[in-house]
Amino acid sequence: MPDEYACGFDALARPLRMTGEPHQVKLELCGDEPAEADLRRLVANHYRRFPQRR
C-alpha cells in the first residue's frame, strides 16, 4: 500500500516514490541524482535499531 511505504531506492541509490491505487502501484524516480549518503544513513540506522544475531 502506498501509505505504508516509507522510502525506497533503485540499484543506483536514486530515490523512488510510490504512486497509484492499492494493488496498482508504480515506483517512480524522484530525481536523477543518487542519494547514496541518505541510503547509507538509513541502512546504518536500521542495523543499529535491529542488531543482527549470530
Side-chain angles (χ1 to χ4, degrees):
M1 302 294 277
D3 59 341
E4 296 174 348
Y5 183 77
C7 66
F9 297 86
D10 72 358
L12 298 176
R14 297 177 297 186
L16 301 170
R17 73 173 158 255
M18 188 180 283
T19 62
E21 299 297 319
H23 308 290
Q24 296 180 348
V25 174
K26 295 179 184 178
L27 295 175
E28 298 176 349
L29 286 174
C30 294
D32 293 332
E33 294 297 316
E36 185 177 346
D38 293 336
L39 177 56
R40 288 181 181 276
R41 180 180 47 79
L42 289 167
V43 170
N45 288 344
H46 173 83
Y47 281 109
R48 271 195 295 280
R49 287 184 13 218
F50 305 102
Q52 301 299 305
R53 295 184 182 166
R54 294 182 183 191

